[in-house]
Amino acid sequence: MAPFDLPVDVALARPIDRLPASAGSDRVEPKLDGWRGVLAAGPAPRLYSRHGTDLSRAFSDVVQAAAELPPCVLDGEVIAVLATGALSFSRLQTRSGRGPRPGADFTVQFAAFDALADDTDLRPLPYLERRHRLLTLLENAPATIWPVPTTDDIDQAQAWFGSLGGGVEGCVLKPARSRYTAGYSSGWRKFRLTTTVEAVVVGIVPGSSPARQAAVLAQPDAHGRLRPVGISLPLGRAQRAELAPLLHPAGSDLAELPGTVGGLPGSAPVAFLPVEPEVVVEIETDERAEFARYRHRPKVKRVRGDLSPEHLVRVGR
């Protein structure tokens, strides 16, 4: 049994916009495109999401492999790996609420980046010592459970970006002497690759207050039809003021989008007020889209008054 109750609150990384010139006393790990998971290994293995949801049934193959490890608790990323070695977040989503299916063209693996416990609570130990324990625990692990690499060289970390078929979406910097604590107090920092593209505003999510209003964003598919690809982060006051006179309601009734457009599988549907598809905005978003949506909520950067929807590049979906 773990030396503490499970599930457990996990450490989180604060987003940063740019990488430092050097790692300094930090260690740098690749940020893999998957689901955060806490894996309790040993005789009674279980897998939990970062929010404490029991994922053991959906990822029973990972849990079965974890039974071969010594008793321990690992923090890491659940990833779907294709035969080419590329990561696929969309394949991972097919496991939501289900489990392994015969004939699948991918394997689910657990990329561990921290050891929270063996027969003792390891969280009070500094990162470097926890890293050593992690490598020891995984010395004879099944091939589907492995430790992520780490480096103290920013240039080496950047060489990882975009590898594994684009599955390395950035990196996480961790102070070498930091303890593992819940939330943001461990001092972890996260840099994620982004790109800027254009999208059309096709709706507004009212939100519980003006400060929580967001834009429903669409892009043309291969046939030129606008398809919702994401819901923006909340719009700032200046953005709301700029967009307000430009947007025109397309009816008085609220419409609804599946939760998968604005979040992960299982998310509640999103109600929004449709607007005429007239306004193009520049957005900062993921390097790639999967399942015809962006993995993370895009950030609206500015209105592109010089562009109209027909100027947007069609995307094959």
Side-chain angles (χ1 to χ4, degrees), residues 29-276:
E29 300 171 352
K31 173 66 181 75
L32 303 180
D33 193 9
W35 286 4
R36 181 77 173 273
V38 174
L39 182 63
R46 306 299 295 177
L47 177 65
Y48 300 95
S49 76
R50 60 170 283 189
H51 299 295
T53 303
D54 193 328
L55 302 175
S56 303
R57 178 174 175 269
F59 300 105
S60 58
D61 41 358
V62 172
V63 172
Q64 185 177 357
E68 301 180 32
L69 296 177
C72 62
V73 179
L74 307 177
D75 191 0
E77 205 79 19
V78 183
I79 54 176
V81 184
L82 303 178
T84 61
L87 306 191
S88 174
F89 186 79
S90 62
R91 298 295 203 286
L92 200 63
Q93 292 187 112
T94 65
R95 289 289 194 93
S96 178
R98 301 180 181 89
R101 291 292 184 269
D105 63 348
F106 66 96
T107 61
V108 174
Q109 302 182 16
F110 188 81
F113 52 67
D114 218 314
L116 309 191
D118 45 22
D119 55 351
T120 60
D121 188 349
L122 303 178
R123 294 174 297 177
L125 300 179
Y127 167 85
L128 288 181
E129 189 166 343
R130 297 197 313 275
R131 174 73 186 183
H132 175 73
R133 299 287 186 96
L134 174 67
L135 297 179
T136 300
L137 288 166
L138 297 182
E139 276 182 353
N140 299 304
T144 54
I145 302 177
W146 47 273
V148 300
T150 184
T151 182
D152 58 3
D153 186 329
I154 288 289
D155 291 335
Q156 181 181 345
Q158 289 181 293
W160 294 330
F161 295 175
S163 61
L164 302 182
V168 179
E169 56 179 11
C171 65
V172 179
L173 297 91
K174 300 180 178 180
R177 298 184 180 277
S178 63
R179 300 173 57 184
Y180 186 102
T181 52
Y184 297 104
S185 55
S186 290
W188 296 3
R189 295 174 294 160
K190 175 175 62 179
F191 173 79
R192 186 166 58 85
L193 292 174
T194 58
T195 188
T196 55
V197 294
E198 282 73 44
V200 181
V201 179
V202 295
I204 293 294
V205 179
S208 56
S209 68
R212 298 189 66 82
Q213 291 178 357
V216 179
L217 304 167
Q219 291 176 328
D221 64 14
H223 303 286
R225 296 170 297 197
L226 286 175
R227 303 293 191 192
V229 292
I231 296 170
S232 76
L233 292 169
L235 300 166
R237 180 182 299 176
Q239 292 172 326
R240 297 197 302 272
E242 185 179 15
L243 285 169
L246 303 176
L247 299 176
H248 302 100
S252 57
D253 296 330
L254 288 174
E256 194 172 81
L257 283 174
T260 50
V261 176
L264 294 175
S267 298
V270 178
F272 70 98
L273 177 65
V275 299
E276 296 293 342

